[in-house]
Amino acid sequence: LCFWQSGSSFHVFDQGQFAKEVLPKYFKHNNMASFVRQLNMYGFRKVVHIEQGGLVKPEKDDTEFQHPYFIRGQEHLLENIKRKVTSVSAIKHEDIKVRQDNVTKLLTDIQVMKGKQESMDSKLVAMK
């Protein structure tokens, strides 16, 4: 079902059987796509082999995954495998400044438009 390649990646050969028998033992689901999504969230990537200038189609239902810190015999590296988190603190300070400048400009434009509308309203009343 699943085995280590050279110690730097692992293969899932029969995704259907893997999802049915292995995933429920360790996850609350048996969905292979959800498992792959979880792997991606932790930085694992599907290995694509390129040989002789063209993509080599893998064996039927054979999927290989690797992570730079997931290496056989290097258990101390496992603590470096962490879920990728997007947080407010990850937003660059410059991006926040640009957004604030945009909001300030919009508010100024709205005030100017409001003033023009009030002026036009008073002129319309005077004309009536």
Side-chain angles (χ1 to χ4, degrees):
L1 286 178
C2 179
F3 85 99
W4 284 86
Q5 178 68 11
S6 63
S8 62
S9 67
F10 69 94
H11 285 256
V12 176
F13 282 112
D14 185 336
Q15 292 184 18
Q17 191 176 359
F18 180 81
K20 183 178 169 186
E21 295 177 16
V22 178
L23 291 182
K25 290 180 182 178
Y26 303 98
F27 299 95
K28 294 178 183 177
H29 64 80
N30 63 351
N31 185 319
M32 188 64 185
S34 295
F35 175 66
V36 171
R37 236 182 340 271
Q38 286 287 318
L39 286 174
N40 289 334
M41 273 197 281
Y42 283 87
F44 282 81
R45 292 293 170 245
K46 185 175 178 179
V47 177
V48 177
H49 293 281
I50 299 174
E51 293 178 15
Q52 300 166 350
L55 290 176
V56 175
K57 187 173 175 114
E59 295 296 320
K60 184 180 187 298
D61 214 21
D62 175 9
T63 309
E64 182 180 1
F65 297 95
Q66 68 88 29
H67 187 288
Y69 296 125
F70 192 72
I71 302 170
R72 182 177 19 207
Q74 303 291 320
E75 291 82 7
H76 66 281
L77 295 176
L78 294 175
E79 67 187 39
N80 297 317
I81 299 176
K82 295 181 167 80
R83 183 175 174 160
K84 295 177 183 177
V85 182
T86 303
S87 66
V88 175
S89 64
I91 299 172
K92 293 180 182 174
H93 183 68
E94 308 93 55
D95 293 343
I96 293 171
K97 178 75 172 126
V98 167
R99 291 179 187 163
Q100 287 174 340
D101 291 347
N102 288 343
V103 169
T104 302
K105 184 177 179 340
L106 283 171
L107 289 173
T108 303
D109 291 348
I110 290 171
Q111 285 298 91
V112 169
M113 288 175 60
K114 188 176 179 184
K116 287 181 180 179
Q117 181 184 0
E118 289 172 354
S119 173
M120 291 177 75
D121 287 347
S122 65
K123 288 179 183 176
L124 185 61
V125 168
M127 288 173 65
K128 286 183 181 178

